[in-house]
Amino acid sequence: MSRVLVMSAVSVALMASTATTVVAQGAAGPRSAVAAPTTADVSRGTLVSVEHLRTLTAREVAAELAGDEAGAWDTGAVRYGLDTFRIVYRTVDPHGRPTTASGLLALPRSGERRLRTVSFTHGTELFKGDVASVSADVWDQAPALTYASAGFAAALPDYLGLGLGPGPHPWMDVPSETTAALDMLRVSRTAVSARGRELRREVLVTGFSQGASAALGLSRSLQEGTDGWFRLRAVAPVSGAYAFRGAELPALLAGRTEPKASVIYTALALVAFNRLHHLYDAPSQVFRAPYDGTIEGLLDGTHTGQEVAAGTPDSLDGLLTARGRAMLAHPTGRLAAILRVADGVCTDWAPKAPVRLYFADRDEQAVNANTAHCHATLRARGVDAPVVDLGTPDYGGSRHLGSQQAGTAAVVRWFSALG
């Protein structure tokens, strides 16, 4: 969920996305509704631009993965060199209006014309530049390098408002994570075709932290046939917060997660939800001074992780008013409806494709109860979704971040074995 206090950039990942739902605003607050086609849909998933970024040999890929100063990535799946491309494409915003988004496409230099496709959805980033299509940091690039060097076409959406996308990022917004990921697949197919190659119909879907829930949202969309070409082959989310209301939020408020990360996640949730769903009239209602005057601007996507960490208190007591804490401790109305939609990634559908849920033991950010809840909920619906314990991996002192490393290595092996 976060690179707070660990990396030079903050990566705050919690969860959220389902598939073909939108959040509609009414007198009673947000509600889930089937998305109807609009005139804006005509241009969804079409290219604005493609920019070739890098060509790497297999040896260079392995050296880059192994050379991460915060912790070497597994290089056992590296087989091929690769090319990376920055994609800008048309999609829709949370209100269904036309907008643009960006993402990274990585293609193996394998000689294969028909490529297996992996969609990877990343953990939340606070700064627009901390995504794979823009950042040169190994952390941001490693999943793309791992999957592409193993022979897969890897599509990594930046989501809305990150990378080259306009406006603030609508964090944990269910429909926009799904539409951005689906449209990234569509535009990747176009870009690959222009290079004389083809993406197979079956998509292998994975994601980390916030991206774990986004991966489940995309998977649901693919299973429901939202796209005319792509189909779901398998889904492997890593370290998600799938039970935000019942597990993650109580852990944040009770101090059972890393303190600074808890402050930033809580602030981001209130600010991002309020932008779309109007939970409060003024920041002073939920945030204490002086943060009530700075927090919304601080979380606009233009400030680095260090700046956000420096501009927030070290405890929730220093951040939240009594009203703000009560709102989160006992969600009602619009907030309760938002959380029901977010948690629907595990509760509102039954995957028919193979599923594996990956987690790190005693994760200090995405508490293990999230994965247990998702597993139990899917099992109650007749879904065999094995839970894979990654142990206690470490990346820069964080088990949560370590789970992305260990999870990427485990998932690429599973995807490769599926054929």
Side-chain angles (χ1 to χ4, degrees):
M1 289 164 44
S2 165
R3 281 185 282 174
V4 177
L5 303 180
V6 178
M7 299 294 293
S8 61
V10 179
S11 168
V12 189
L14 288 178
M15 78 239 298
S17 197
T18 84
T20 56
T21 60
V22 296
V23 176
Q25 182 100 1
R31 59 182 175 81
S32 173
V34 176
T38 68
T39 55
D41 289 339
V42 175
S43 65
R44 279 186 53 187
T46 59
L47 273 171
V48 174
S49 65
V50 181
E51 179 184 355
H52 181 263
L53 298 177
R54 297 200 294 170
T55 297
L56 298 175
T57 66
R59 184 185 298 271
E60 289 169 333
V61 171
E64 188 162 319
L65 291 173
D68 189 344
E69 294 181 357
W73 295 73
D74 189 289
T75 60
V78 176
R79 298 287 183 274
Y80 308 105
L82 56 86
D83 292 283
T84 61
F85 304 86
R86 180 187 297 123
I87 306 288
V88 178
Y89 60 99
R90 295 182 177 88
T91 186
V92 290
D93 72 7
H95 305 288
R97 299 173 301 207
T99 189
T100 58
S102 56
L104 185 79
L105 173 66
L107 301 178
R109 297 190 142 232
S110 60
E112 292 288 333
R113 192 184 72 82
R114 298 185 68 247
L115 297 170
R116 294 174 295 170
T117 307
V118 170
S119 171
F120 175 83
T121 41
H122 63 76
T124 304
E125 302 285 0
L126 296 178
F127 180 55
K128 287 176 175 286
D130 288 338
V131 289
S133 74
V134 178
S135 172
D137 190 271
V138 180
W139 171 266
D140 301 308
Q141 293 281 313
L145 301 183
T146 297
Y147 291 112
S149 68
F152 300 95
L156 284 74
D158 294 335
Y159 308 140
L160 299 182
L162 296 173
L164 303 185
H169 171 52
W171 187 63
M172 288 175 51
D173 178 62
V174 171
S176 68
E177 289 180 359
T178 299
T179 54
L182 182 59
D183 290 343
M184 179 66 190
L185 282 174
R186 290 166 168 165
V187 78
S188 295
R189 184 185 177 204
T190 302
V192 168
S193 177
R195 284 156 181 79
R197 305 173 83 175
E198 180 183 349
L199 297 185
R200 297 185 189 180
R201 299 189 72 180
E202 298 77 18
V203 182
L204 299 149
V205 181
T206 183
F208 166 69
S209 205
Q210 176 191 353
S213 290
L216 287 169
L218 174 63
S219 297
R220 177 179 176 177
S221 183
L222 293 171
Q223 179 170 294
E224 293 178 348
T226 304
D227 185 76
W229 173 257
F230 291 111
R231 296 292 181 267
L232 178 64
R233 175 67 179 91
V235 55
V238 179
S239 300
Y242 318 106
F244 189 59
R245 178 169 184 170
E248 191 65 27
L249 193 51
L252 293 174
L253 294 175
R256 298 197 303 270
T257 52
E258 196 282 321
K260 176 60 81 167
S262 298
V263 168
I264 296 177
Y265 301 155
T266 302
L268 184 59
L270 286 170
V271 169
F273 290 160
N274 189 64
R275 284 176 180 147
L276 290 182
H277 308 298
H278 192 73
L279 301 181
Y280 54 83
D281 293 324
S284 59
Q285 294 175 329
V286 294
F287 298 116
R288 293 184 182 276
Y291 307 106
D292 59 330
T294 60
I295 196 70
E296 291 187 339
L298 196 62
L299 296 175
D300 66 358
T302 67
H303 298 275
T304 66
Q306 299 98 313
E307 291 173 328
V308 174
T312 50
D314 293 330
S315 72
L316 285 179
D317 288 339
L319 176 72
L320 296 176
T321 63
R323 175 177 173 177
R325 180 177 278 275
M327 179 186 295
L328 296 172
H330 307 287
T332 59
R334 292 176 178 176
L335 180 57
I338 294 165
L339 298 178
R340 282 195 299 272
V341 174
D343 292 350
V345 295
C346 290
T347 61
D348 290 349
W349 71 301
K352 298 177 182 178
V355 181
R356 289 188 179 182
L357 303 173
Y358 294 79
F359 78 103
D361 185 39
R362 288 173 287 170
D363 191 317
E364 79 281 2
Q365 296 178 41
V367 295
N368 294 162
N370 287 289
T371 300
H373 168 81
C374 190
H375 171 70
T377 302
L378 292 176
R379 186 176 180 180
R381 289 174 167 263
V383 178
D384 180 19
V387 173
V388 181
D389 187 345
L390 298 168
T392 56
D394 177 83
Y395 183 84
S398 169
R399 290 181 182 179
H400 183 67
L401 299 183
S403 72
Q404 170 160 314
Q405 270 197 329
T408 299
V411 171
V412 74
R413 289 193 296 269
W414 184 47
F415 283 174
S416 297
L418 288 173

